Amino acid sequence: MKKNILLIIALYVLATFAASSFSFSTTIAPSSHIRPNDEHLGIEVPVLMYHHISNDVTSEAVVTPGKFQSDMYMLKKNGYTGIFLTELVDYLNGHIELPERPII
């Protein structure tokens, strides 16, 4: 039951991110983290969202391919490993372990 509540909270947080618009600096500082409340689920999972990638930057929601590539390089350089949302769900349900520094 507790894991289902955590899953619902995580999905709510992700839906909230999907409905909002925000950008990141080159230091990759997400505005929020998913932090499960269980002791055995104490890992933080930053969630990044890029609304649009284009050379035609018309708003803060658009990043250039070069900026996106630079951001991905910095994440890799700093030891982050990309995971799928389904992997977060599997982790919350206790089916898998996540890498040391996961990111969605």
Side-chain angles (χ1 to χ4, degrees):
M1 178 71 171
K2 196 172 191 179
K3 289 181 183 178
N4 289 338
I5 292 171
L6 289 173
L7 175 60
I8 291 168
I9 292 169
L11 292 176
Y12 174 77
V13 169
L14 291 174
T16 301
F17 280 129
S20 66
S21 174
F22 53 90
S23 61
F24 299 95
S25 68
T26 55
T27 58
I28 310 297
S31 60
S32 186
H33 297 280
I34 296 172
R35 289 191 84 175
N37 222 357
D38 253 343
E39 288 180 21
H40 69 282
L41 298 175
I43 194 166
E44 293 184 3
V45 182
V47 178
L48 301 181
M49 178 184 245
Y50 290 86
H51 291 273
H52 192 70
I53 301 170
S54 172
N55 283 319
D56 185 23
V57 178
T58 56
S59 73
E60 290 182 10
V62 180
V63 297
T64 65
K67 169 75 170 125
F68 178 76
Q69 183 177 14
S70 172
D71 288 354
M72 296 303 106
Y73 173 78
M74 291 301 295
L75 289 169
K76 183 176 180 179
K77 182 179 175 183
N78 286 293
Y80 285 93
T81 301
I83 64 167
F84 293 103
L85 184 55
T86 54
E87 291 174 288
L88 177 60
V89 171
D90 288 342
Y91 170 72
L92 291 172
N93 286 321
H95 299 299
I96 67 168
E97 292 295 319
L98 292 179
E100 187 175 325
R101 297 187 85 183
I103 192 164
I104 295 177

